[in-house]
Amino acid sequence: MKSVLSLFLFTLLLSSATETFAQDIMPPLLPWDGKSKELLVEKSNKWITPFELSDGLESPTYVETMDWIENLVASSEFLEIVTAGISEQGRPIKLVIASKDKDFNSAKLSTSKKPLIFFQAGIHAGEIDGKDAGMMLLRDISQGNKIRLLDNANLLFIPILNVDGHERRSEYGRVNQRGPKEMGWRTNALNLNLNRDYTKLETAGIQAVIEVINSYDPDLYIDIHVTDGADYQYDITYGYVATGGYSPEISSWLSTDFQPEVDQALKENGHIPGPLLFAANGNDFTEGNVAFSFSPRFSHTYGDIRHMASILIENHSLKPFEQRVLGTYVFLEQAIKSLGSHFEALQQAVAADSNQPKESIPVKFKFRETPADSMEFLGIASSKIKSEITGAEYVKWEGKPVNQSVPSIFMDVPELSVSVPKAYWIPVEWTEVINKLKQHGIQFETIKEAREVKVELSTVTSFSMGNQPYEGLMRVQRFELDKMYRTQTFNPGSVRVPTDQPLGELAVILLEPESVDSFFQWGYFNSIFSQTEYMETYIMEPLIAKMLSEDANLKKRFEAEKTANPDFAKSPRAIYSWFYKQTPYFDQNWKVIPVGREW
C-alpha cells in the first residue's frame, strides 16, 4: 500500500510539473489576439470541435476525431468519407471528400473542370494543427456560411495520416512545442518517418497518399507540419520549391499568383506569414537563413518532380496551439479561393513544366558560391549564455521582437546532372523495385517473351555503406562508378520504362544511381555487392601462366599495373584477383547495378 501511495503522489507531482512546464521553461511569448479568433464558435454550437471545446488546448484522439467527422459527413450531402489505406497497426487512414457537385469518385474528381485541393495533417502525428483546422473548415463549409468555397474547388482531406503515431500520444510529446496538451509521436509504429518515404514507399501512410494522388490527380497538394528549431515572430511559415527544382513554371505561379494572396489573408487575420526558416548556424539567424534543396523523399519536393503544385506548411512550434490552428484555417480557406481564381494560369504552368525538354536533368544540388540578397527577418532577440552544466554556449530567447537583415543562402545550383536515356530496363527478378515503380504510377511495358537488348549498365568500382540504418535501410553512402555496354537477355516479366511519359523525371530520379533518392542509394540492390564464387590458388597459378604465355597484351597490361601500383605488385591476393577478373569464370554481374539504359 505504501509503495502504491508513493507512486500516486509521485504521479501527481510529475503531472503538476508538466502543467507548468511550458511557462517555466519555454521562451517568453509575444502577446497575440488575432482577428482569426472570430472563427471560433460558441460553446453551444452543435458542431463545435473538441479543439474549440477545450479552449484551444487539446486535440481529440483518433476515435474521437473519426466519430466527429463521420457524424459531420452523415449530416451533409456535400461530404463523403472513404478509407485511403490501413496502417501497420490496422487503423483505417480516412480521406474526407468535399464537393458541391456531389462528385465523390476519383474518375469524376480527376476530370472535373473545377480544381482539386488535397491537404493532409499529421504526417508527423505530434504536429497535428491541420487536423483541427480542417475539422473547423469542413464544419463551416457544410454547416455554416461557407458553402460557396466549394464553388472554387473540390477538396480532399486526410485528417490524420500517421494514425498509429497519433495514438502514441501523451503529455510528454514534443518538448519544444506549445500544445496540444497531448501530442502524438513523430514516426509510425515501425519507427519510420513518413516524410522521408515518398520515393522508397515503405510505409502504409505514404503508400495511401500516392494512391490518392494517382487516383484523384489533385491540382494543389498541401502538407501541414509544425516546426522544430529557433524562435522568431512568424507564426505560419510555409514554402515550396521556389528555385532549383523540376517545375519552374509552377513555382512561378505559386510565388506570383498564390503566395501574395495567402500572405495578405494571414496578415489581415492577425498572423505573420513567413518562408521556411532554417538557421544557417543551427542556433540563430545571425549567419543567415538556408533555403535547402530537399530531395523527393519529402512531400513538397516529390510533388514538384511530379509537376503538381505542392506546399509545405511549418507552423511555429513555440506559438500557442490555438494560434497555429487558426492560422492554418486562414491559410486553407484562402488557398481554396486563390486556386479557384487562378486555376487557368496553374493549368498552363503545369502543361509547360510537363512538356519541358528532358535531355538531361539534375540529380544533386549544391549551394550558391555567394548568398543571394539579404532578407528582412522578423526575429526575436537572443543572447548567448555559457552553460554552468556543460561549459558550452547556448542561445537564450528573450521574447522581444527585433527586425534584422540576414543573408539568404540558397542550395539550388545543379551539382550533378545525368543524361536521360530513351528507356530503362529492369530484370524480372527485381520484383520489389518493379512494384515500387508501379505504386508511383510510372508507366512501363512488361515483356511476355525473352528479349535481347543492348543496354548501358553502371558498375560499382568502390563503395562504402552508412555506418547505421537510415529509415530502416542500409544506404550506399559513397561510391564510384564505371559504365559498360552489353547485350543482355531480359526474361519474361522484365520491364521497359520509357522516359517520355508524365513521370519520366521521377523515373530518372529513382533509377539513376547518382541520384540521392535512387533505389541504388536506398539499398535495394545491396545484394550485388556479395561475391559468391571464388578462385583457388592451385588453379590460378597454372591458369595465369597459361594466360601470360598466350596473350602478349595481357602481359603488357599486367606489367604496367605493377609499375603504376607498388602495393599491387607486393600483394599476391591482389594479383590473383586481378587475373581472376580477366577470365570468363569471374562473376559478370558482381557490382553491376541491374538497371539498363536504352539509348
Side-chain angles (χ1 to χ4, degrees):
M1 178 65 73
K2 184 177 181 181
S3 62
V4 172
L5 181 60
S6 299
L7 179 61
F8 175 72
L9 292 173
F10 174 75
T11 303
L12 281 178
L13 288 170
L14 191 59
S15 176
S16 175
T18 304
E19 291 173 0
T20 60
F21 182 85
Q23 62 191 33
D24 286 349
I25 298 179
M26 282 197 174
L29 265 175
L30 294 177
W32 183 78
D33 189 28
K35 182 183 176 183
S36 60
K37 284 189 175 182
E38 296 174 4
L39 297 168
L40 300 167
V41 299
E42 297 291 334
K43 293 288 177 65
S44 58
N45 189 298
K46 176 184 177 181
W47 292 107
I48 189 170
T49 66
F51 158 79
E52 294 166 298
L53 198 59
S54 70
D55 295 320
L57 298 175
E58 298 182 25
S59 187
T61 66
Y62 172 84
V63 171
E64 292 167 343
T65 299
M66 293 310 158
D67 285 348
W68 189 94
I69 289 177
E70 286 174 1
N71 286 333
L72 184 73
V73 169
S75 71
S76 173
E77 60 183 324
F78 304 120
L79 301 180
E80 186 62 87
I81 188 167
V82 298
T83 298
I86 303 295
S87 76
E88 284 78 5
Q89 290 183 336
R91 294 183 178 89
I93 301 168
K94 293 291 187 175
L95 173 72
V96 184
I97 306 168
S99 170
K100 195 172 183 181
D101 302 317
K102 305 174 189 176
D103 290 338
F104 299 124
N105 68 61
S106 58
K108 288 186 177 181
L109 287 171
S110 62
T111 57
S112 173
K113 294 182 180 179
K114 192 179 292 185
L116 180 63
I117 297 179
F118 174 25
F119 63 103
Q120 67 189 32
I123 188 172
H124 295 154
E127 307 167 23
I128 201 61
D129 303 5
K131 177 190 75 177
D132 297 279
M135 292 167 70
M136 290 175 61
L137 181 59
L138 288 180
R139 183 264 319 280
D140 293 343
I141 289 172
S142 63
Q143 306 295 331
N145 59 2
K146 295 188 177 181
I147 188 62
R148 288 186 178 180
L149 286 174
L150 295 185
D151 293 333
N152 295 280
N154 297 311
L155 308 179
L156 303 175
F157 172 43
I158 294 182
I160 310 169
L161 180 54
N162 180 8
V163 289
D164 297 340
H166 187 276
E167 292 311 280
R168 187 183 170 185
R169 52 188 281 142
S170 74
E171 296 185 20
Y172 311 102
R174 307 186 79 216
V175 68
N176 63 323
Q177 182 175 306
R178 276 193 167 93
K181 183 179 180 181
E182 288 189 349
M183 303 180 213
W185 199 252
R186 182 179 183 85
T187 50
N188 73 355
L190 296 175
N191 202 35
L192 297 177
N193 187 331
L194 274 63
N195 202 27
R196 307 292 185 272
D197 194 44
Y198 278 80
T199 48
K200 58 187 178 65
L201 300 182
E202 292 284 333
T203 64
I206 301 306
Q207 290 171 12
V209 167
I210 303 307
E211 178 61 29
V212 169
I213 291 172
N214 288 336
S215 298
Y216 292 88
D217 191 21
D219 299 289
L220 177 63
Y221 177 42
I222 302 173
D223 182 22
I224 306 167
H225 292 245
V226 181
T227 68
D228 305 313
D231 201 2
Y232 37 75
Q233 297 173 48
Y234 310 99
D235 56 354
I236 309 297
T237 67
Y238 67 99
Y240 44 88
V241 182
T243 59
Y246 302 95
S247 300
E249 295 302 317
I250 293 174
S251 298
S252 176
W253 180 86
L254 286 166
S255 63
T256 303
D257 294 340
F258 182 87
Q259 183 174 350
E261 294 182 356
V262 170
D263 284 357
Q264 184 60 33
L266 285 164
K267 291 174 184 176
E268 289 175 356
N269 281 275
H271 297 276
I272 305 178
L276 295 177
L277 295 168
F278 301 95
N281 61 15
N283 294 309
D284 56 32
F285 290 87
T286 55
E287 297 177 24
N289 179 58
V290 178
F292 285 104
S293 172
F294 293 93
S295 76
R297 74 189 63 167
F298 297 89
S299 60
H300 65 301
T301 36
Y302 180 80
D304 177 73
I305 203 168
R306 291 187 65 123
H307 309 309
M308 174 178 61
S310 302
I311 292 171
L312 172 67
I313 296 178
E314 288 280 4
N315 295 332
H316 190 205
S317 61
L318 295 177
K319 301 298 185 287
F321 182 47
E322 180 184 75
Q323 181 179 349
R324 303 192 322 256
V325 169
L326 296 178
T328 305
Y329 182 115
V330 172
F331 184 104
L332 294 173
E333 181 177 8
Q334 185 57 48
I336 296 169
K337 296 176 182 177
S338 295
L339 180 59
S341 299
H342 303 288
F343 183 43
E344 184 177 352
L346 175 58
Q347 289 176 305
Q348 293 171 357
V350 171
D353 286 331
S354 299
N355 295 321
Q356 62 188 325
K358 299 175 184 174
E359 285 80 10
S360 68
I361 68 168
V363 295
K364 189 177 181 181
F365 293 88
K366 64 180 179 180
F367 288 104
R368 298 181 188 181
E369 291 186 3
T370 56
D373 294 336
S374 297
M375 64 176 288
E376 292 304 312
F377 182 71
L378 305 182
I380 296 291
S382 65
S383 56
K384 290 188 176 179
I385 308 296
K386 186 173 182 179
S387 169
E388 295 181 0
I389 301 170
T390 67
E393 283 190 334
Y394 68 95
V395 173
K396 179 181 180 181
W397 301 104
E398 298 174 353
K400 300 174 184 177
V402 57
N403 296 356
Q404 53 195 141
S405 180
V406 303
S408 292
I409 303 169
F410 285 86
M411 185 184 179
D412 59 359
V413 179
E415 181 178 6
L416 178 64
S417 294
V418 298
S419 297
V420 178
K422 186 177 181 180
Y424 294 99
W425 283 86
I426 303 172
V428 60
E429 58 267 25
W430 297 96
T431 309
E432 185 175 20
V433 166
I434 294 172
N435 287 341
K436 287 182 183 295
L437 292 174
K438 185 177 181 180
Q439 285 180 300
H440 280 291
I442 293 172
Q443 300 167 10
F444 54 78
E445 169 199 359
T446 304
I447 62 173
K448 297 180 179 180
E449 296 180 354
R451 193 182 303 182
E452 285 193 351
V453 185
K454 185 179 180 180
V455 292
E456 180 191 64
L457 296 161
S458 292
T459 61
V460 183
T461 57
S462 66
F463 73 97
S464 63
M465 307 298 295
N467 58 13
Q468 60 183 3
Y470 174 67
E471 292 300 312
L473 298 174
M474 291 301 297
R475 283 180 58 89
V476 183
Q477 192 168 40
R478 295 182 181 87
F479 57 92
E480 293 183 2
L481 301 175
D482 275 342
K483 292 182 179 179
M484 68 172 182
Y485 282 94
R486 76 181 180 195
T487 298
Q488 180 169 323
T489 299
F490 289 89
N491 291 315
S494 299
V495 301
R496 179 182 183 271
V497 186
T499 55
D500 185 13
Q501 62 166 294
L503 298 181
E505 291 103 324
L506 178 60
V508 174
I509 287 294
L510 296 173
L511 296 175
E512 285 292 339
E514 291 93 342
S515 164
V516 295
D517 259 317
S518 66
F519 291 137
F520 168 72
Q521 289 198 38
W522 272 117
Y524 290 106
F525 299 124
N526 282 352
S527 60
I528 67 171
F529 298 128
S530 298
Q531 188 175 3
T532 56
E533 292 287 356
Y534 301 90
M535 62 184 177
E536 300 286 355
T537 57
Y538 65 84
I539 292 293
M540 288 305 300
E541 277 290 344
L543 182 58
I544 291 170
K546 187 174 186 299
M547 292 167 67
L548 289 173
S549 68
E550 295 176 352
D551 190 338
N553 182 56
L554 177 67
K555 184 174 182 179
K556 185 177 179 180
R557 289 193 290 118
F558 175 52
E559 295 299 332
E561 185 70 24
K562 288 196 296 182
T563 302
N565 189 347
D567 290 337
F568 168 78
K570 297 175 184 178
S571 171
R573 183 180 182 85
I575 293 172
Y576 283 135
S577 179
W578 188 88
F579 276 102
Y580 184 39
K581 291 177 183 178
Q582 316 305 313
T583 74
Y585 299 102
F586 185 75
D587 182 1
Q588 301 302 307
N589 290 331
W590 185 43
K591 297 184 181 179
V592 177
I593 301 172
V595 176
R597 301 178 195 84
E598 175 191 329
W599 295 99

